[in-house]
Amino acid sequence: MATYIVLLGPPGVGKGTQARILSETSKLAHVSSGDLFRENLKNETELGKLAKSFMDKGELVPDDVTISMIRDRISRPDCEAGAILDGFPRTPAQATALEDMLAEFGSEVNAVPYITAAESVLVERASGRWTCKAQGHIYHEKFNPPKQAGVCDIDGSEVYQREDDKVETVTKRIRVYFEQTMPLVEHYRTAGKLIEIDGTQPVEQVTKDLLAALKR
Ligand code: AMP
């Protein structure tokens, strides 16, 4: 049976970084809804144009659009063994849609690591985040700057600040998160699938905790 892991956590907690690491170690596909939207934005698709108006304001893209994008993505062959879902689901309607989709494949959500941190830490982290243009490698101006300013260590492409990582938008995204995504925490806790991880620790320790918890 395929393995599906849903990573939950507010903007700035390091969810994307951990999802990448987890995907490499587990060999499961990394499916990031935010990355998929940004890819559409870059390629100027209809979906990208629609998503942009919501993303720029720090709001969520409507459920129907998001759900059908994820359905397409997890139906691809590289998700046959399962996936690490990063940024999806984000609303109760998306969680229900995901459960229905996976049931069609004869699967289910296996575990839901929830990476947490206080709101003040999140604003500082998310608003200092810089992203590489080519592949989305993540840096932080204070905690993890690239060796050469503005250049990705890994692929040499330009490192930029995402429009929605500017401080006003970050604050809005965190508020939206607490309003719309927190119910999912309770939903997965009740289902006995939630694993809480302290996201204020160094990246390596968060990874260790995450891997240990998933093994259990
Ligand atoms: P992220 O990179 O996960 O922080 O996502 C960036 C932006 O993409 C969010 O602020 C939303 O506008 C949009 N987005 C990403 N995932 C979702 C989702 N599951 N539902 C709705 N909007 C999303």
Side-chain angles (χ1 to χ4, degrees):
M1 204 168 97
T3 305
Y4 293 91
I5 295 170
V6 167
L7 269 186
L8 283 183
V13 83
K15 190 162 45 70
T17 303
Q18 296 298 334
R20 280 166 182 276
I21 299 172
L22 207 54
S23 161
E24 277 163 26
T25 47
S26 66
K27 307 285 176 232
L28 295 174
H30 174 202
V31 173
S32 155
S33 45
D35 284 354
L36 290 170
F37 282 130
R38 281 184 287 279
E39 215 175 282
N40 276 281
L41 228 112
K42 200 159 91 182
N43 297 332
E44 297 179 2
T45 66
E46 284 308 311
L47 173 60
K49 282 179 209 156
L50 183 128
K52 184 173 165 41
S53 55
F54 296 94
M55 292 171 78
D56 283 352
K57 286 185 281 185
E59 291 171 4
L60 294 185
V61 179
D63 281 336
D64 54 343
V65 179
T66 308
I67 290 165
S68 80
M69 176 180 77
I70 293 292
R71 171 182 282 281
D72 283 354
R73 178 65 189 90
I74 64 173
S75 303
R76 290 197 215 146
D78 67 327
C79 290
E80 237 163 53
I84 310 288
L85 296 167
D86 164 14
F88 181 92
R90 263 215 205 16
T91 64
Q94 292 179 14
T96 307
L98 177 66
E99 272 147 38
D100 293 347
M101 264 181 243
L102 297 187
E104 275 174 40
F105 304 157
S107 292
E108 60 175 355
V109 171
N110 298 94
V112 184
Y114 169 42
I115 310 178
T116 60
E119 198 165 332
S120 54
V121 177
L122 299 172
V123 176
E124 187 184 28
R125 280 206 193 164
S127 61
R129 180 162 73 174
W130 292 71
T131 306
C132 116
K133 265 211 168 124
Q135 297 184 60
H137 296 117
I138 296 162
Y139 297 90
H140 191 280
E141 60 188 14
K142 206 153 115 194
F143 308 123
N144 175 32
K147 290 194 186 80
Q148 190 184 335
V151 181
C152 177
D153 293 348
I154 301 164
D155 60 33
S157 76
E158 186 192 339
V159 169
Y160 75 110
Q161 188 173 43
R162 272 168 44 182
E163 195 55 41
D164 61 346
D165 278 340
K166 301 199 167 139
V167 78
E168 313 75 51
T169 322
V170 163
T171 312
K172 171 80 182 288
R173 283 167 60 210
I174 293 170
R175 213 187 67 223
V176 166
Y177 172 83
F178 281 107
E179 281 169 15
Q180 306 205 32
T181 310
M182 276 310 272
L184 296 192
V185 170
E186 291 318 314
H187 171 75
Y188 289 119
R189 197 196 305 277
T190 308
K193 293 182 176 174
L194 200 79
I195 306 166
E196 286 196 51
I197 309 274
D198 175 5
T200 55
Q201 309 175 96
V203 174
E204 299 76 24
Q205 189 57 45
V206 175
T207 306
K208 269 192 198 151
D209 286 4
L210 201 52
L211 293 176
L214 288 173
K215 228 177 229 159
R216 283 200 295 274

